Amino acid sequence: MGQRNSKRTMEKGLKLYGHYVSINVRSMMQYKSSFMLTMIGQFLVSFNVFLGIYFMFQRFQSVKGYSYNEVLLCFSIMLMEFSMAECYARGFDSFAGMVRRGEFDRVMVRPRNEILQVLGSKFELTRIGRMLQAVVMFIYGIMNSDIHWTFSKVVTIIFMLLGGTALFTGIFLIYAALCFFTLDGLEFMNVFTDGAREYGKYPVGIYGRRMLQFCTFIVPYALVQYYPLLYLLERRTSIVYVFIPLLAFLFLIPCYGLWRFGVRHYKSSGS
């Protein structure tokens, strides 16, 4: 009976989230020109980073042993991870305004999970432009790399995308949780989101041992970027590297704990 109720609650939650997404998409489609221009802008912003990589490799043949195509493959995967998380977890990124305006009070009294409601408050479909840029780079990297593709490597890519999306979602969740105590957004968190997207265009290992340790045990970018990339490039052969990206889901546990701590200590802004 308990399992059946849990399944029913999950189905209702997914249905409600789908309804939230539908409302957001229909709202954006009311201004199609604005939607298209924003999407093109997202594409062009990412294209500038691509040009930076291109001109870098016009000057140097490799960076710490990684070729142009390998770096492009690395960056495209990281960009896809970030874009997917930003697309559906945008509600956390704009959560500071919800707290400041006292809108979270309404969320608290509704008989649904707070995270589900915050996620559904904003769905950024315009990030498709950035995603498209990542897909183009990914396809180019695959076509021009010397990777011998196998089933395990395809699974590795899927796990990298899933783990990376979970990782960035966790970072957005931390950002939202900190807003309970500040009322304003903390811009330093951009170091872990936009900064990670920027520096993630190169394998984490090139930044040195200390940075690799930080990106393995503190904020685990390396789990969804560096280590599985080594397997894709056949610099590591152990099958363990296929499943390493899934460990990024463990990062959601402390993120959720911080969120619950913030919810318990929430006091209305009085707006």
Side-chain angles (χ1 to χ4, degrees):
M1 181 64 71
Q3 186 176 1
R4 185 181 302 174
N5 290 336
S6 178
K7 182 179 180 181
R8 188 176 303 167
T9 301
M10 184 178 296
E11 289 175 351
K12 288 182 178 179
L14 290 174
K15 184 177 180 180
L16 178 60
Y17 181 70
H19 184 61
Y20 279 136
V21 171
S22 175
I23 292 173
N24 277 280
V25 171
R26 280 182 288 167
S27 175
M28 283 184 285
M29 290 300 102
Q30 294 297 314
Y31 305 93
K32 294 182 177 63
S33 297
S34 175
F35 170 78
M36 291 301 299
L37 290 173
T38 304
M39 189 172 68
I40 292 171
Q42 291 291 327
F43 180 91
L44 293 177
V45 168
S46 300
F47 188 70
N48 287 336
V49 181
F50 163 75
L51 289 177
I53 297 175
Y54 175 78
F55 289 124
M56 169 72 77
F57 280 92
Q58 290 295 304
R59 183 71 174 83
F60 305 100
Q61 294 300 312
S62 65
V63 175
K64 289 285 188 176
Y66 293 94
S67 69
Y68 171 66
N69 294 320
E70 291 171 346
V71 167
L72 208 59
L73 185 65
C74 172
F75 177 56
S76 64
I77 295 173
M78 176 66 84
L79 187 59
M80 278 192 280
E81 295 167 353
F82 179 79
S83 300
M84 286 191 293
E86 195 178 34
C87 185
Y88 85 92
R90 186 67 174 174
F92 290 135
D93 196 32
S94 58
F95 185 68
M98 181 179 287
V99 173
R100 187 168 54 251
R101 293 187 298 269
E103 295 175 4
F104 192 68
D105 294 7
R106 294 201 300 268
V107 172
M108 293 284 286
V109 298
R110 291 170 183 162
R112 290 296 177 191
N113 183 272
E114 298 93 351
I115 288 181
L116 179 65
Q117 295 183 65
V118 174
L119 282 176
S121 66
K122 198 170 184 66
F123 186 80
E124 203 65 73
L125 193 62
T126 55
R127 275 13 183 205
I128 289 178
R130 186 179 291 166
M131 176 72 73
L132 179 61
Q133 175 67 41
V135 171
V136 171
M137 288 191 294
F138 180 71
I139 293 174
Y140 181 87
I142 287 178
M143 292 177 62
N144 292 277
S145 64
D146 296 326
I147 297 176
H148 175 65
W149 289 98
T150 61
F151 176 74
S152 63
K153 291 182 180 179
V154 173
V155 172
T156 302
I157 293 289
I158 295 173
F159 286 169
M160 288 173 75
L161 294 176
L162 292 175
T165 303
L167 170 63
F168 282 109
T169 300
I171 296 173
F172 284 130
L173 185 57
I174 291 175
Y175 173 86
L178 293 177
C179 292
F180 286 121
F181 308 101
T182 64
L183 289 182
D184 288 306
L186 298 174
E187 295 303 322
F188 82 88
M189 288 298 296
N190 291 333
V191 173
F192 301 103
T193 52
D194 296 306
R197 182 194 65 199
E198 176 68 22
Y199 291 103
K201 61 178 177 276
Y202 299 107
V204 174
I206 74 168
Y207 298 114
R209 184 169 62 90
R210 295 291 186 186
M211 181 59 73
L212 182 59
Q213 289 173 342
F214 176 84
C215 293
T216 300
F217 302 107
I218 307 301
V219 185
Y221 301 115
L223 300 184
V224 299
Q225 190 239 42
Y226 178 66
Y227 296 116
L229 181 68
L230 294 178
Y231 181 79
L232 292 178
L233 302 179
E234 298 182 356
R235 301 187 182 194
R236 297 290 187 275
T237 56
S238 174
I239 197 68
V240 173
Y241 285 82
V242 175
F243 301 97
I244 282 179
L246 297 180
L247 295 176
F249 281 91
L250 297 176
F251 181 67
L252 290 173
I253 296 175
C255 298
Y256 179 73
L258 181 61
W259 167 267
R260 293 308 308 168
F261 180 78
V263 170
R264 286 196 300 269
H265 292 80
Y266 170 70
K267 294 180 181 179
S268 176
S269 65
S271 301

